[in-house]
Amino acid sequence: MPRVFPHDLEAERSLLGSMLISKEACQDILNKCEDRDFYEESHKVLFNAMSELSRQNIPVDVTTITSYLLDHSQLDKVGGVEYLRQLSDSVPTLAHSEYYLKIIHNKSILRKIINETTKIAENAFGDIEDIDGFIDESEKTMLAITRDRNAGEFVDVKKVIREVTDRLNKLQSIDGNISGIRTNFRDLDKITSGLQKGDLIILAARPAMGKTAFALNIAHNVAFKSEDPVAIFSLEMPASQLVQRIICSMGGIEGSTMRTGEILKTNANKYYAAAERVSKCNLYIDDTPGVKINEIVAKCRKLKQEHGLKLIVIDYLQLITGSSNNRESRQQEVSDISRQLKMLARELDVPVIALSQLSRSVEQRPNKRPMMSDLRESGAIEQDADIVTFIYREGYYKASEGKEEEDNGLTEIIIAKHRNGATGEVNLAFEKNFSRFTDLAPIGPDGSSAGVRDVRG
């Protein structure tokens, strides 16, 4: 015996009855509903008739509907005039029309899920050559249903003002006005107000500037004793090396002693204390090389559903593989990836930090401070990002050019784009031996810093 698709005929009757007896309810429901949301075919006919009358600016009631259906030889299909009268008489109160609408929407979504998953299952029995493409298309199909469920509507400005006021009251009560997630870098948090949920943050630099170390510093600062985890996708470095760097940073351990194992001979207690501290970081690491963007999305959704999610860090953007097999334009592929990362940030309501390479054109200029145009395979990266940040160490270039000066570790964090705030520069000290960035000593009256700290060991 075939199974019956999910439906609720009583809710459909009540909704149509509400449309017949109230002009306001009719217009509101027409804006929020469509004929495929109804299960009963006669109800689809009625809904389309009401929609057409409304389009022609004709009032919707039993009389006008009867006339329209007669003209189109459809009155018998809906049960005649008697059924229309029953609909209008069966509505106990208009106040429940939103409730009826929600029931109908939910049943409609369930039917869509059944139809689409059935198609996916049938196709899976076929000869599929591109399994990644098949999985990607299947995910897109299910995402489309989700988007239908969460489709936005116009929001009354009064409601928005209440939300803005509530946020201002919350900010007023927060010490330091940090509304987002703290990175624990004093001046960076001050200029950004923390990492904001739903933001895509691009962190770009040339090799050896310390972008991976900086991203890891932020990740373990956020993850330390956090209830919600931080997800790290390391496409270039295995998880063991990545964790080794974090241990060096948190424990003030020189990387060379970790690489040779010397630390266990000279100061084992220091290592185990640092490892214990790192174990308290709520970190989830994926070191799959060449991971596809759709795999990143799926893994993050699953992590949030099972454990929660506070921040996503990806090292680095250009190593992500697109979901399409079309390799005609790598720039277009990277642009598509950046858009999907922005959509992921919005969907999961978490900040996403994506590391990015800069083109070699930086090295060919006398002034090697990075610019927006230096973003490699930029495409839509600049457009999609809420914040674009560059890392620049002038001392590194002076030392590499054979000048007598040594790299003193002074680092500029250049905020070149900030969609919802100020741009500017933040000075930090890079302790390369420890894979660690630190705040400079506060020297300003407001606690900010602008000086140079020599961190050579």
Side-chain angles (χ1 to χ4, degrees), residues 159-184:
K159 181 179 179 182
V160 180
I161 290 173
R162 285 196 298 271
E163 292 175 355
V164 171
T165 304
D166 289 344
R167 184 171 182 272
L168 289 174
N169 285 326
K170 182 179 179 181
L171 285 173
Q172 188 181 31
S173 65
I174 297 174
D175 183 29
N177 293 331
I178 306 300
S179 58
I181 298 170
R182 290 180 181 271
T183 67
N184 285 330

Side-chain angles (χ1 to χ4, degrees), residues 235-281:
L235 286 79
E236 191 174 37
M237 185 184 304
S240 58
Q241 289 185 22
L242 186 144
V243 171
Q244 186 171 302
R245 283 197 178 196
I246 297 175
I247 291 174
C248 289
S249 175
M250 294 193 81
I253 299 172
E254 291 211 16
S256 59
T257 65
M258 290 282 285
R259 287 189 291 272
T260 62
E262 182 185 350
I263 184 65
L264 293 181
K265 296 179 182 179
T266 58
N267 200 338
N269 289 339
K270 189 174 186 180
Y271 165 76
Y272 287 116
E276 173 64 21
R277 183 175 170 84
V278 174
S279 71
K280 295 178 181 177
C281 291

